[in-house]
Amino acid sequence: MTGLGSVGEPGAQDRIQHRETRIKNLGESAGLRTEDRGRRTASGSEEPTARREDTSALSTLNNQPLVAPKPGAGRSTRLRVSLLTGGGDKPYALGMAAALTSEGMHLDFIGSDDLAVPELLNDPLVNFLNLRGDQRPEASRMAKALRVLGYYVRLIRYAATARPKLFHILWNNKFQLFDRTLLMLYYRLLGKKIAFTAHNVNAGRRDLNDSWLNRRSLKIQYILSDHIFVHTDGMKSELISEFRVPERKVSVIPFGINNTVPTTSLSGAAAKRQLGVKSSDKTLLFFGNIAPYKGLEYLIDAFEELSQKDGHYRLIIVGKPKGSEDYWKQIHRGISRSRIRDRVVERIEYIPDEETELFFKAADVLILPYAHVFQSGVLFLGYSFGLPAIASDVGNLKEEIIEGQTGFLFKPQDSSDLASRVDEYFKSELFRNLESRRAEIKAYANERYSWDKVAAVTTSVYSRLPNSNI
């Protein structure tokens, strides 16, 4: 695995380390919460490629030069951007803010109580506007309705008088149909240029609740956007083919590495003890929102198969059901009636950031058994802890996992193949040298998914949008 974390441009590693340290400090000062990053768009699964121990792929990745400019190059103090976060997704919102201000940009940061961290509030380049306010889930329905209504009123008033000519929407707000149509049209009537990050090209298709109205409203938002950012070539192809978006309007950017989750000196052995897992146990982790497209049932079947042959396997399931809880209830019933019930650790709840490291340090490998997805942010969260992953060969995952180096792939919706790959992993050099490999995987991920690269593409697009400067 020599050179896994190497960087192709002199001085680039120093720039990456500086930016990632700044982003990490944002998270640690706020006690951020980790939400499921695996919310990429669904497409049909692709045919699995032949298995390989591909060291040539590793060499190719490591020799790719960084596209980020040298410090100070191309900075513009005239460019002012309004960053509309939707009030959540802290790791991405804070990472983007740090990346853009590092390029000398002035931001109107539309945030919430949850995003009001000192580094943003005290940054002279950031005008922090807490339009979303309190989002605590324990509020009554009436209180939630009133605070959402108040937020929209404040947002509409802000847009009418906002100094920035360029609005960059990271996430839509509460009412998707309104945000995609009338609110977008309102911004355009105000003369704003709109950049939009489509983390999901069509989440309805992924979540199996697509409709004509959903697709039509998405198309309207894409038409009204001046430029769209996506995270994979597959997502770009879907925008072009399914929504007739011109290719020139779409740019692919990495999903910036999540370095905002607090870490301590907690060791893997200590983490296992806290969860009641033996240090010798072979520990698998499923982490994130629990939904049908995540394919958790295939992992359960594979775990049963593995446990029949080896009693040292343990499975940790961490996350909260997304949408209807019926899917999880069905899986939980199956576990409780099976012989593996004593081998499974369940934390079916929202996990705050300060507890996240416990699970990723206790785990020996992250399992991503997706039935269909383009890309998974949970993979990058795992990489930030140096944790290898075993993932189904769907979407862009085969481009993100280097077989035998950062993980393995298995055939989608095939529990037997997943079991075989898990067994192969625990016999591999990757697992035998896991402690040293963790550091190498983290270094590799910080380069490949650097916010430096995100900033370089994003600022280039900003500068090309006409009348976006003030």
Side-chain angles (χ1 to χ4, degrees):
M1 198 161 173
T2 303
L4 186 61
S6 63
V7 181
E9 180 186 333
Q13 187 65 50
D14 290 339
R15 296 200 304 278
I16 293 173
Q17 185 176 358
H18 172 75
R19 192 187 308 277
E20 304 307 339
T21 299
R22 185 164 181 261
I23 294 169
K24 187 176 183 65
N25 288 340
L26 284 171
E28 290 179 344
S29 69
L32 301 184
R33 296 177 182 175
T34 302
E35 298 183 17
D36 178 26
R37 308 260 71 78
R39 47 185 182 275
R40 304 278 75 82
T41 305
S43 66
S45 60
E46 300 178 11
E47 288 298 318
T49 55
R51 293 175 180 172
R52 64 196 186 282
E53 295 283 336
D54 192 356
T55 56
S56 62
L58 173 60
S59 175
T60 300
L61 286 173
N62 289 333
N63 288 329
Q64 291 178 349
L66 288 176
V67 297
K70 296 183 182 301
R75 291 191 176 186
S76 172
T77 57
R78 294 184 63 234
L79 187 58
R80 182 181 293 270
V81 178
S82 180
L83 209 58
L84 288 86
T85 68
D89 195 355
K90 289 180 180 177
Y92 200 88
L94 298 182
M96 181 64 78
L100 295 179
T101 55
S102 291
E103 294 298 321
M105 288 193 177
H106 292 261
L107 300 180
D108 275 9
F109 188 99
I110 310 305
S112 62
D113 288 356
D114 210 28
L115 297 176
V117 302
E119 281 76 6
L120 287 179
L121 298 175
N122 299 328
D123 191 330
L125 294 179
V126 176
N127 178 28
F128 186 90
L129 298 169
N130 189 356
L131 302 188
R132 191 66 188 265
D134 176 27
Q135 296 185 86
R136 287 177 294 178
E138 61 269 19
S140 67
R141 289 188 178 183
M142 178 61 71
K144 289 179 180 179
L146 290 175
R147 73 189 185 190
V148 169
L149 178 60
Y151 165 64
Y152 273 105
V153 170
R154 290 188 292 273
L155 181 62
I156 290 170
R157 287 176 177 172
Y158 160 77
T161 59
R163 184 178 177 187
K165 302 296 184 184
L166 173 59
F167 280 16
H168 186 167
I169 303 171
L170 297 185
W171 289 98
N172 284 331
N173 304 296
K174 185 67 175 179
F175 300 116
Q176 291 285 347
L177 291 179
F178 176 76
D179 291 345
R180 295 170 182 171
T181 57
L182 296 179
L183 191 57
M184 287 287 292
L185 183 60
Y186 174 66
Y187 293 155
R188 292 303 298 264
L189 290 174
L190 292 172
K192 305 299 182 182
K193 294 295 178 181
I194 302 173
F196 179 68
T197 298
H199 299 283
N200 305 293
V201 176
N202 184 353
R205 181 180 176 186
R206 180 199 66 191
D207 297 337
L208 305 179
N209 58 8
D210 199 8
S211 66
W212 175 88
L213 183 59
N214 176 64
R215 293 191 300 274
R216 177 58 57 182
S217 63
L218 282 170
K219 187 167 186 177
I220 291 172
Q221 181 159 46
Y222 296 146
I223 289 173
L224 293 176
S225 297
D226 292 286
H227 203 86
I228 303 168
F229 296 101
V230 294
H231 300 301
T232 71
D233 289 329
M235 297 172 74
K236 180 176 180 178
S237 296
E238 184 179 10
L239 271 176
I240 294 170
S241 62
E242 298 294 326
F243 294 96
R244 300 294 187 267
V245 177
E247 184 175 1
R248 59 180 169 75
K249 281 182 58 172
V250 186
S251 293
V252 179
I253 57 174
F255 191 93
I257 191 73
N258 182 352
N259 279 327
T260 63
V261 177
T263 59
T264 68
S265 59
L266 179 71
S267 67
K272 284 188 174 184
R273 283 197 301 272
Q274 288 190 34
L275 293 174
V277 176
K278 296 178 181 178
S279 60
S280 59
D281 283 344
K282 302 172 181 177
T283 309
L284 319 181
L285 174 65
F286 175 95
F287 189 94
N289 286 340
I290 299 173
Y293 77 91
K294 292 293 190 73
L296 180 55
E297 66 269 30
Y298 303 107
L299 173 56
I300 299 301
D301 290 343
F303 187 73
E304 284 194 86
E305 182 178 334
L306 289 164
S307 297
Q308 290 176 3
K309 302 175 182 178
D310 187 340
H312 290 91
Y313 281 104
R314 295 296 298 270
L315 174 60
I316 303 173
I317 302 175
V318 182
K320 184 178 180 181
K322 181 180 179 182
S324 173
E325 295 191 3
D326 292 342
Y327 174 70
W328 165 246
K329 288 178 179 178
Q330 180 179 353
I331 289 178
H332 178 65
R333 283 196 298 268
I335 294 173
S336 62
R337 295 170 182 171
S338 72
R339 290 175 293 181
I340 65 170
R341 59 183 177 274
D342 295 330
R343 309 296 301 169
V344 179
V345 177
E346 299 177 3
R347 281 287 300 275
I348 311 305
E349 59 186 284
Y350 180 83
I351 303 299
D353 266 8
E354 57 269 19
E355 297 180 24
T356 298
E357 71 163 341
L358 173 67
F359 304 102
F360 283 88
K361 288 186 175 180
D364 295 312
V365 65
L366 175 67
I367 309 295
L368 303 172
Y370 298 124
H372 45 263
V373 77
F374 266 130
Q375 186 167 298
S376 169
V378 178
L379 171 64
F380 307 134
L381 178 59
Y383 277 175
S384 74
F385 286 95
L387 186 63
I390 299 175
S392 56
D393 188 5
V394 296
N396 205 56
L397 294 184
K398 63 177 174 290
E399 304 298 329
E400 313 297 351
I401 293 177
I402 304 173
E403 292 237 3
Q405 306 295 314
T406 66
F408 292 92
L409 296 168
F410 70 93
K411 298 175 184 177
Q413 304 179 54
D414 188 331
S415 58
S416 293
D417 193 51
L418 171 55
S420 175
R421 295 300 259 173
V422 170
D423 179 66
E424 182 180 354
Y425 167 74
F426 281 102
K427 295 176 180 177
S428 71
E429 182 183 354
L430 177 56
F431 173 67
R432 287 195 298 271
N433 300 315
L434 183 57
E435 287 308 308
S436 61
R437 291 297 180 88
R438 275 183 179 266
E440 293 173 343
I441 291 173
K442 284 192 283 188
Y444 162 74
N446 279 327
E447 175 202 341
R448 181 165 171 81
Y449 309 106
S450 167
W451 284 102
D452 245 343
K453 296 183 177 182
V454 176
V457 177
T458 303
T459 54
S460 176
V461 168
Y462 286 172
S463 66
R464 295 198 307 269
L465 292 178
N467 302 319
S468 59
N469 288 358
I470 62 171

